Amino acid sequence: MTAFQQISVAVGKGFVRDKASLFFTFLLPLFFLVLFGILFGAMEGSESTLEPIQYIAPGILSFGIAMSAVFASALTLVSWRENGLLRKLQLAPVSPFTILTSRFSVTVIVAVLQAALFFAVAFLPFFGLRLESTWWMAVPLFLLGVLSFFSLGILIGSVFKTDQSASAASNLIVLPLGFLSGTFFPLDFAPSWMDTVSLASPLRHMNDGMLALLVRGEGPEALLVPCGALLLFALITTGLAGYFLTRGDQ
């Protein structure tokens, strides 16, 4: 078994054994789906607007993936540092790229399982979610979204040294992004400054792209701006994470 496989299996086992992580990873998006599905269930969309479930589902899924990816990568890095595993991995004949990609692969698998469970519930007659035929084009956007929030979590884990501080920082960053990115309400009804500020949020771009491809039926051109923004965000946060990790080892 290669080092990549060994680390991936170890991370996967750790995730499965953490009941709290399992609960919040898979049930938190469903909680928001049920909550907003009930709140907006009586509303109907017109010919020019989306039905509530069509609007809120892509955003809630993106938010759930963001939460799980950020928390998983941030707390994993902090845990590895606290128990000395990070130092052992750095001294082992394993490249940092292998370590990060193995952890990222587990994050992608979890995100895919999240999405599968989420859509299985959202497709129920009570919610009535319908996807357009262009849904499959959202796959690269989905992967770049996972990468962006994974890298954000690595940055948080690089800066904050304890579980409590990393968890608090993750909440303070991700929760406001949900409200600034149009996850729970359209930004058309928000102040203009909020719409401008939200352009710096990776969740805003993931939401916009998922909405365009999953339920609006737009073409591949809808991928350009969201994918570019997510890739740029991932590169910046990865670079910053590398800087803080290097400085912390000195």
Side-chain angles (χ1 to χ4, degrees):
M1 186 179 291
T2 65
F4 174 86
Q5 293 172 322
Q6 290 177 330
I7 297 173
S8 298
V9 169
V11 171
K13 288 181 177 179
F15 173 76
V16 171
R17 291 168 183 164
D18 190 342
K19 306 305 180 185
S21 294
L22 285 172
F23 177 84
F24 286 105
T25 296
F26 294 108
L27 294 187
L28 184 63
L30 297 182
F31 168 77
F32 283 117
L33 177 66
V34 172
L35 175 64
F36 287 97
I38 293 174
L39 288 176
F40 300 135
M43 299 173 59
E44 295 183 357
S46 66
E47 293 183 358
S48 59
T49 61
L50 293 173
E51 295 179 5
I53 185 61
Q54 300 294 103
Y55 176 82
I56 65 174
I60 291 175
L61 176 60
S62 299
F63 179 73
I65 290 170
M67 287 286 289
S68 63
V70 168
F71 274 85
S73 54
L75 297 183
T76 294
L77 185 57
V78 170
S79 175
W80 284 358
R81 183 189 293 114
E82 289 184 335
N83 61 27
L85 181 59
L86 182 61
R87 173 60 64 181
K88 293 178 181 178
L89 289 172
Q90 290 172 331
L91 296 176
V94 182
S95 69
F97 179 78
T98 298
I99 297 171
L100 289 176
T101 52
S102 61
R103 184 63 187 87
F104 176 67
S105 68
V106 176
T107 303
V108 171
I109 292 172
V110 170
V112 170
L113 294 175
Q114 269 185 292
L117 177 60
F118 182 87
F119 284 127
V121 174
F123 288 150
L124 294 175
F126 177 80
F127 298 105
L129 176 66
R130 302 181 307 277
L131 297 184
E132 295 292 334
S133 60
T134 55
W135 67 266
W136 60 272
M137 287 191 287
V139 172
L141 177 69
F142 178 87
L143 294 175
L144 280 173
V146 177
L147 176 62
S148 295
F149 295 110
F150 174 83
S151 62
L152 176 59
I154 293 295
L155 175 58
I156 293 172
S158 303
V159 175
F160 298 92
K161 309 303 182 183
T162 66
D163 283 346
Q164 293 81 0
S165 60
S167 180
S170 298
N171 274 310
L172 287 174
I173 293 173
V174 179
L175 287 177
L177 289 183
F179 292 94
L180 283 172
S181 303
T183 298
F184 304 113
F185 58 86
L187 289 174
D188 296 340
F189 303 109
S192 58
W193 65 265
M194 184 179 293
D195 183 62
T196 302
V197 170
S198 72
L199 294 175
S201 165
L203 189 55
R204 160 70 186 272
H205 297 287
M206 187 174 182
N207 285 351
D208 287 351
M210 297 284 274
L211 192 66
L213 294 167
L214 295 183
V215 299
R216 293 192 187 277
E218 297 183 22
E221 67 279 357
L223 281 171
L224 296 178
V225 173
C227 284
L230 290 172
L231 181 59
L232 178 61
F233 182 85
L235 291 173
I236 292 173
T237 49
T238 299
L240 290 173
Y243 167 77
F244 284 109
L245 277 173
T246 303
R247 193 180 71 169
D249 291 337
Q250 294 177 348

